């Protein structure tokens, strides 16, 4: 917390830039007073930045009797501070990505559960519709039978789609392998046309 421990890091953060000081400079400012109180003779400090914001301070101090820090020492500390800031920034970013990934996994699990429940719930009314449609197909003749055949054929397609929905979890877990096969476009087009033709006739299209 602010105010706890050595005051110089907070002073450097407030100043917002790297600092190089020595009691030998005989300057009269708060930095020299804090340095003297700590029993140090010289100090260099580098502000750690992450995503354009200061997140800490890297300080190095020397006891009395030692050599003063050189310009190259300050430059080296600034380089270390820059690397430290990047490391902290990357660690935070990794944590955010990990949290987003965990949330995405939860949402994906919910999606899978919803698909399974929806597919199971739809199978019962679809089975009833297919049963009655099959009975009507056997009893009907002419144009009525043709229309009921379309209903039955598309109900079978719908049941196949629901089976695919239920098998999605096996595909995602690798327990099942999806093998696409070539299809004849003409067959697909003719199937669609045969399904839509009675509706088109009714509307004089």
């Amino acid at each position: 917390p602010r105010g706890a421990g050595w005051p110089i890091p907070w002073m450097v953060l407030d100043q917002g830039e790297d600092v190089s000081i020595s009691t030998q400079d005989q300057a009269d400012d708060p930095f020299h007073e804090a340095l003297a109180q700590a029993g140090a003779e010289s100090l260099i400090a580098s502000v750690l930045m992450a995503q354009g914001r200061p997140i800490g301070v890297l300080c190095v101090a020397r006891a009395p009797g030692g050599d003063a820090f050189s310009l190259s020492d300050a430059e080296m500390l600034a380089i270390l501070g820059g690397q430290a800031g990047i490391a902290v920034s990357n660690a935070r970013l990794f944590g955010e990505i990990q949290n987003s990934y965990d949330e995405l996994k939860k949402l994906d699990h919910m999606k899978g559960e919803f698909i399974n429940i929806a597919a199971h719930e739809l199978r019962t009314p679809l089975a009833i519709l297919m049963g009655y449609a099959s009975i009507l197909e056997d009893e009907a003749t002419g144009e009525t039978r043709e229309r009921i055949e379309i209903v039955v054929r598309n109900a079978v397609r719908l049941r196949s789609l629901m089976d695919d929905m239920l098998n999605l979890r096996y595909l995602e877990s690798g327990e099942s392998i999806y093998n696409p096969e070539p299809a004849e476009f003409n067959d697909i087009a003719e199937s669609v046309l045969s399904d839509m033709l009675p509706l088109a006739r009714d509307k004089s299209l």
Side-chain angles (χ1 to χ4, degrees), residues 84 96 100 105 197:
E96 293 173 3
S100 298
K105 284 178 66 176
L197 189 58

Side-chain angles (χ1 to χ4, degrees), residues 1-11 13-14 55:
R2 178 174 286 273
W6 202 24
I8 285 185
W10 297 109
M11 296 164 66
L13 273 180
D14 290 337
I55 59 169

Side-chain angles (χ1 to χ4, degrees), residues 20-84:
S20 177
I21 55 175
S22 172
T23 55
Q24 298 175 359
D25 296 339
Q26 300 298 321
D28 184 19
D29 62 42
F31 276 106
H32 287 73
E33 182 180 343
L35 193 62
Q37 288 176 355
E41 187 169 280
S42 59
L43 172 138
I44 50 177
S46 178
V47 180
L48 306 184
M49 304 292 291
Q51 297 177 339
R53 298 172 55 189
I55 59 169
V57 177
L58 186 60
C59 295
V60 180
R62 278 184 173 156
D67 296 333
F69 288 107
S70 66
L71 180 60
S72 61
D73 292 331
E75 291 175 348
M76 177 60 70
L77 188 68
I79 292 172
L80 291 174
Q83 294 299 318

